Amino acid sequence: GPTARADHAIAYETNKGNLVLFGGSDEQTGLRGDTWTYGFNVAPALALDTSCPQSGPAQVTWSCATPGGTVALGYSPRSGLFRIPSGQPCAGTWLGLNPDGAMLLGFGRSNAQGSGSVNGNLSGGVCGGYIQLLDATTCATSEAIRVD
């Protein structure tokens, strides 16, 4: 972090929820022209309500995603590690899904509080697999959760 200082400026970025500190002076070098951003990244939380081991209705709910942003839901029959390849949105992000059999289930839109849900039907074949959420704005991920 920055050194202790005086005569600095601080502003709040409403679109990102960050505090931004600029400049000031300190005892080490005097005048400073540096910029520091303070924020906290909360990983999105994901919950699944389903009727495994039978097929049937399922609801996926999430919170702590970007307000009004898009999320992607991925599935894999097994947990593992998969890195989104270059040239793709969120390239370099690690997912907790095994790349063998991994697939995109679909997209959802978060509400103004960063929460949302999607309803659908699952086949019995997905039971025991894993679902994970990716915030398409921040590239933050939820934990991969087991479909039970």
Coordinates of all heavy atoms in Angstrom, one line a residue, residues 46 48 50 52-53 74-80 96-98 100-103 105 122-132 143-148:
L46 N -23.0 -19.0 -5.4 CA -23.9 -19.8 -6.3 C -24.6 -20.9 -5.5 O -24.0 -21.5 -4.6 CB -23.1 -20.5 -7.4 CG -23.8 -21.3 -8.5 CD1 -24.7 -20.4 -9.3 CD2 -22.8 -22.0 -9.4
L48 N -27.8 -24.1 -5.8 CA -28.5 -24.9 -6.8 C -29.6 -25.7 -6.0 O -29.3 -26.3 -5.0 CB -27.5 -25.9 -7.5 CG -28.1 -26.9 -8.4 CD1 -28.7 -26.2 -9.6 CD2 -27.1 -27.9 -8.9
T50 N -32.2 -28.6 -6.9 CA -32.6 -29.6 -7.9 C -33.1 -30.9 -7.2 O -33.1 -31.0 -6.0 CB -31.4 -29.9 -8.8 OG1 -31.8 -30.8 -9.8 CG2 -30.2 -30.5 -8.0
C52 N -32.0 -34.1 -7.9 CA -31.2 -35.3 -8.2 C -31.4 -36.4 -7.2 O -31.7 -36.0 -6.0 CB -29.7 -34.9 -8.2 SG -29.2 -34.1 -9.7
P53 N -31.4 -37.6 -7.5 CA -30.8 -38.2 -8.7 C -31.8 -38.3 -9.9 O -31.5 -38.8 -10.9 CB -30.4 -39.6 -8.3 CG -31.3 -40.0 -7.2 CD -31.7 -38.7 -6.5
G74 N -21.3 -22.6 -16.3 CA -20.6 -23.7 -16.9 C -20.9 -25.0 -16.2 O -21.2 -25.0 -15.0
Y75 N -20.7 -26.1 -16.8 CA -21.0 -27.5 -16.3 C -19.8 -28.4 -16.7 O -19.3 -28.3 -17.8 CB -22.3 -28.1 -16.7 CG -22.4 -29.5 -16.4 CD1 -22.8 -29.9 -15.1 CD2 -22.1 -30.5 -17.3 CE1 -22.9 -31.2 -14.7 CE2 -22.2 -31.9 -16.9 CZ -22.6 -32.2 -15.7 OH -22.7 -33.5 -15.3
S76 N -19.5 -29.3 -15.8 CA -18.6 -30.4 -16.2 C -18.9 -31.6 -15.3 O -19.3 -31.5 -14.2 CB -17.1 -30.0 -15.9 OG -16.2 -31.1 -16.2
P77 N -18.8 -32.8 -15.9 CA -19.1 -34.0 -15.1 C -18.2 -34.2 -13.9 O -18.5 -34.9 -12.9 CB -18.9 -35.2 -16.1 CG -18.8 -34.6 -17.4 CD -18.4 -33.1 -17.3
R78 N -17.0 -33.5 -13.9 CA -16.0 -33.7 -12.8 C -15.4 -32.3 -12.5 O -15.3 -31.5 -13.3 CB -14.9 -34.6 -13.2 CG -15.4 -36.1 -13.4 CD -14.2 -37.0 -13.7 NE -13.2 -36.6 -14.6 CZ -13.3 -36.7 -15.9 NH1 -14.3 -37.3 -16.5 NH2 -12.3 -36.3 -16.7
S79 N -15.0 -32.2 -11.2 CA -14.3 -31.0 -10.9 C -12.9 -31.1 -11.4 O -12.4 -32.2 -11.8 CB -14.3 -30.8 -9.3 OG -13.6 -31.8 -8.7
G80 N -12.2 -30.0 -11.4 CA -10.8 -30.0 -11.9 C -10.3 -28.6 -12.1 O -10.8 -27.7 -11.4
G96 N -13.0 -24.1 -11.8 CA -12.9 -25.4 -11.0 C -13.6 -26.5 -11.7 O -14.1 -27.4 -11.0
L97 N -13.6 -26.5 -13.0 CA -14.3 -27.6 -13.8 C -13.2 -28.3 -14.6 O -12.3 -27.8 -15.1 CB -15.3 -26.9 -14.8 CG -16.4 -26.1 -14.1 CD1 -17.2 -25.4 -15.2 CD2 -17.2 -26.9 -13.2
N98 N -13.5 -29.6 -14.8 CA -12.6 -30.4 -15.6 C -12.9 -30.1 -17.0 O -14.1 -30.1 -17.4 CB -12.8 -31.9 -15.3 CG -11.8 -32.8 -15.9 OD1 -11.7 -32.8 -17.1 ND2 -11.1 -33.5 -15.1
D100 N -12.7 -32.0 -19.6 CA -13.3 -33.1 -20.4 C -14.8 -33.1 -20.1 O -15.2 -33.3 -19.0 CB -12.7 -34.4 -19.9 CG -11.2 -34.6 -20.3 OD1 -10.8 -34.0 -21.3 OD2 -10.5 -35.3 -19.6
G101 N -15.5 -32.8 -21.1 CA -17.0 -32.8 -21.0 C -17.6 -31.5 -20.5 O -18.8 -31.3 -20.3
A102 N -16.7 -30.4 -20.4 CA -17.2 -29.1 -19.9 C -18.0 -28.5 -21.0 O -17.8 -28.7 -22.2 CB -16.0 -28.2 -19.6
M103 N -19.1 -27.8 -20.6 CA -19.9 -27.1 -21.5 C -20.5 -25.8 -20.9 O -20.6 -25.7 -19.7 CB -21.0 -28.0 -22.0 CG -22.0 -28.4 -20.9 SD -23.4 -29.5 -21.4 CE -22.5 -31.0 -21.5
L105 N -23.7 -23.8 -20.0 CA -25.1 -24.1 -19.8 C -25.9 -22.9 -20.3 O -27.0 -23.1 -20.8 CB -25.4 -24.3 -18.4 CG -24.9 -25.6 -17.8 CD1 -25.2 -25.7 -16.3 CD2 -25.4 -26.8 -18.5
L122 N -33.1 -30.3 -15.5 CA -31.9 -31.1 -15.6 C -32.2 -32.5 -15.9 O -33.2 -33.1 -15.4 CB -31.1 -31.0 -14.3 CG -30.5 -29.6 -13.9 CD1 -29.8 -29.7 -12.6 CD2 -29.6 -29.1 -15.0
S123 N -31.4 -33.2 -16.7 CA -31.5 -34.6 -16.9 C -30.8 -35.3 -15.7 O -29.9 -34.7 -15.1 CB -31.0 -35.0 -18.2 OG -29.6 -34.9 -18.2
G124 N -31.2 -36.5 -15.4 CA -30.5 -37.3 -14.4 C -29.0 -37.5 -14.6 O -28.2 -37.7 -13.7
G125 N -28.6 -37.4 -15.9 CA -27.2 -37.6 -16.3 C -26.3 -36.5 -15.7 O -25.1 -36.7 -15.7
V126 N -26.8 -35.3 -15.3 CA -25.9 -34.3 -14.8 C -25.6 -34.4 -13.4 O -24.8 -33.7 -12.8 CB -26.4 -32.9 -15.2 CG1 -26.6 -32.7 -16.7 CG2 -27.7 -32.5 -14.4
C127 N -26.4 -35.2 -12.7 CA -26.2 -35.4 -11.2 C -24.9 -35.9 -10.9 O -24.3 -36.8 -11.6 CB -27.3 -36.3 -10.7 SG -29.0 -35.7 -10.9
G128 N -24.2 -35.3 -9.9 CA -22.9 -35.7 -9.6 C -21.8 -34.8 -10.2 O -20.7 -34.9 -9.9
G129 N -22.3 -34.0 -11.3 CA -21.4 -33.1 -11.9 C -21.2 -31.8 -11.2 O -21.7 -31.7 -10.0
Y130 N -20.6 -30.8 -11.8 CA -20.3 -29.6 -11.1 C -20.8 -28.4 -12.0 O -20.6 -28.4 -13.2 CB -18.8 -29.4 -10.8 CG -18.4 -30.4 -9.8 CD1 -18.1 -31.7 -10.1 CD2 -18.3 -30.0 -8.4 CE1 -17.7 -32.6 -9.1 CE2 -18.0 -30.9 -7.5 CZ -17.7 -32.2 -7.8 OH -17.3 -33.1 -6.8
I131 N -21.3 -27.4 -11.3 CA -21.7 -26.1 -12.0 C -20.9 -25.0 -11.4 O -20.7 -25.0 -10.2 CB -23.2 -25.8 -11.8 CG1 -24.0 -26.9 -12.6 CG2 -23.6 -24.4 -12.3 CD1 -25.5 -26.7 -12.5
Q132 N -20.5 -24.0 -12.2 CA -19.7 -22.9 -11.7 C -20.2 -21.6 -12.5 O -20.6 -21.7 -13.7 CB -18.2 -23.1 -12.0 CG -17.4 -22.0 -11.3 CD -15.9 -22.4 -11.3 OE1 -15.4 -23.2 -12.1 NE2 -15.2 -21.8 -10.3
E143 N -17.4 -20.7 -6.4 CA -16.9 -22.1 -6.2 C -17.7 -23.0 -7.2 O -18.8 -22.7 -7.5 CB -17.2 -22.5 -4.8 CG -16.4 -21.8 -3.8 CD -14.9 -22.0 -3.8 OE1 -14.5 -23.2 -4.1 OE2 -14.1 -21.1 -3.6
A144 N -17.1 -24.1 -7.6 CA -17.8 -25.1 -8.4 C -18.6 -25.9 -7.4 O -18.0 -26.4 -6.4 CB -16.8 -26.0 -9.1
I145 N -19.9 -26.0 -7.6 CA -20.7 -26.7 -6.7 C -21.2 -28.0 -7.4 O -21.5 -28.1 -8.6 CB -21.9 -25.9 -6.2 CG1 -22.8 -25.4 -7.3 CG2 -21.4 -24.7 -5.4 CD1 -24.1 -24.8 -6.9
R146 N -21.4 -29.0 -6.5 CA -21.8 -30.3 -7.0 C -23.3 -30.4 -7.2 O -24.1 -29.9 -6.4 CB -21.4 -31.4 -6.0 CG -21.6 -32.8 -6.5 CD -21.1 -33.8 -5.4 NE -21.6 -35.1 -5.7 CZ -21.0 -36.1 -6.3 NH1 -19.7 -35.9 -6.7 NH2 -21.5 -37.2 -6.5
V147 N -23.7 -31.0 -8.3 CA -25.2 -31.2 -8.5 C -25.6 -32.4 -7.8 O -25.3 -33.5 -8.2 CB -25.4 -31.3 -10.1 CG1 -26.9 -31.4 -10.3 CG2 -24.9 -30.1 -10.8
D148 N -26.3 -32.2 -6.7 CA -26.7 -33.3 -5.8 C -28.2 -33.5 -5.9 O -29.0 -32.6 -6.1 CB -26.4 -33.1 -4.4 CG -24.9 -33.3 -4.2 OD1 -24.3 -34.2 -4.8 OD2 -24.3 -32.6 -3.3

